[in-house]
Amino acid sequence: MSIPCPAPPGEKPTLYQSGSQGKKIRIGICAMNRKATSKPMRAIMTKIVDYYKDWLEYFIFPESIIIHEPVDRWPLCDCLISFHSTDFPLHKAIEYVKLRKPYVINDLKRQYDLLDRRKVFRTLAKEGIEHPRHGVLMRSDSTEEDGVLVEHNDHIEVNGMVFNKPFVEKPVSAEDHNVYIYYPSSVGGGSQRLFRKGTVTVNGKSVKSAHVSSLRIRNVCY
């Protein structure tokens, strides 16, 4: 089990020194509550603490502190585990690391890259990791285009690459979950919107728009 969250530091805090006076290394979990208290996170931390119980302990940053308190009022820790999710102020976690300088398990700044599907694909390609064949089309409000799209009945061409239906269209932003599947005419055509881990449903049935086969014109990946 985690220990209670430490009280906020005073105006002139003494940094927690691991190992001094027999104190344990203190790990802080800084994430939104639904992630920090999830079953996988609890299982991971339980195994770590069970194995290293003589040397370390952990606590969870309260969500109210993460959202509402300035970082100089956040509790102190020797080691920080922090990761982004919806509504999490990643910039504040980065400020906290600059201020308190805990040992950081995962690179916080690189988490911004995970929010841009283009950067994720580029990183995978650079490291030689297999990833889906894809095309990117960027269109701004001024109708300026970065990329060329040609639509056909059962396939599209994005920057010269052909994608046969069915294919998936995702916004460039990983925080935008408006994901669509476009179907070929052989199965009736149309499109279907996915939401998070499933399809949009009405009365228990997935919603398929049989009359919407044209693509969106915002910043998307195929």
Side-chain angles (χ1 to χ4, degrees):
M1 294 181 62
S2 63
I3 64 171
C5 178
E11 293 297 323
K12 296 181 179 180
T14 299
L15 293 180
Y16 188 99
Q17 298 296 323
S18 61
S20 63
Q21 300 179 357
K23 291 182 178 179
K24 297 180 180 180
I25 296 172
R26 184 170 293 181
I27 301 174
I29 309 296
C30 183
M32 300 304 283
N33 190 62
R34 61 183 175 275
K35 295 291 185 179
T37 60
S38 66
K39 186 176 180 179
M41 177 57 73
R42 293 199 310 269
I44 291 171
M45 296 311 299
T46 296
K47 284 185 176 294
I48 291 175
V49 172
D50 284 348
Y51 192 82
Y52 296 104
K53 58 186 176 182
D54 293 333
W55 297 283
L56 58 79
E57 58 193 6
Y58 81 96
F59 69 91
I60 296 173
F61 283 65
E63 190 169 297
S64 59
I65 289 179
I66 294 174
I67 299 298
H68 301 296
E69 294 289 343
V71 296
D72 60 359
R73 296 285 294 166
W74 286 15
L76 301 175
C77 63
D78 300 299
C79 176
L80 182 73
I81 298 176
S82 181
F83 45 90
H84 180 272
S85 63
T86 302
D87 298 327
F88 180 75
L90 184 57
H91 65 284
K92 292 181 70 175
I94 293 173
E95 291 176 8
Y96 175 82
V97 170
K98 290 180 179 179
L99 176 65
R100 301 302 184 193
K101 297 179 173 55
Y103 181 82
V104 181
I105 295 296
N106 47 343
D107 190 329
L108 297 183
K109 291 183 179 179
R110 289 300 302 273
Q111 292 190 41
Y112 280 118
D113 292 348
L114 297 177
L115 304 181
D116 188 324
R117 299 185 198 278
R118 296 168 300 175
K119 293 182 179 180
V120 171
F121 284 136
R122 283 198 293 266
T123 300
L124 293 174
K126 181 180 178 181
E127 299 300 327
I129 299 173
E130 292 187 2
H131 56 282
R133 189 174 68 95
H134 65 283
V136 178
L137 183 68
M138 304 294 292
R139 294 185 176 182
S140 67
D141 293 331
S142 61
T143 70
E144 294 180 357
E145 296 184 12
D146 181 6
V148 178
L149 170 68
V150 180
E151 292 192 60
H152 300 276
N153 191 38
D154 282 334
H155 72 276
I156 61 171
E157 297 178 41
V158 179
N159 304 324
M161 298 177 63
V162 176
F163 295 88
N164 293 310
K165 295 180 180 180
F167 59 76
V168 177
E169 178 189 70
K170 296 183 177 182
V172 165
S173 171
E175 290 195 288
D176 186 342
H177 302 291
N178 288 302
V179 178
Y180 285 78
I181 300 177
Y182 293 87
Y183 295 95
S185 57
S186 60
V187 294
S191 61
Q192 186 174 58
R193 179 190 174 193
L194 301 182
F195 182 74
R196 302 293 286 187
K197 296 182 180 180
T199 58
V200 176
T201 61
V202 175
N203 296 327
K205 296 183 179 180
S206 61
V207 176
K208 181 178 178 182
S209 178
H211 304 292
V212 181
S213 295
S214 59
L215 307 180
R216 292 175 292 175
I217 57 173
R218 295 298 300 167
N219 303 331
V220 291
C221 296
Y222 298 97

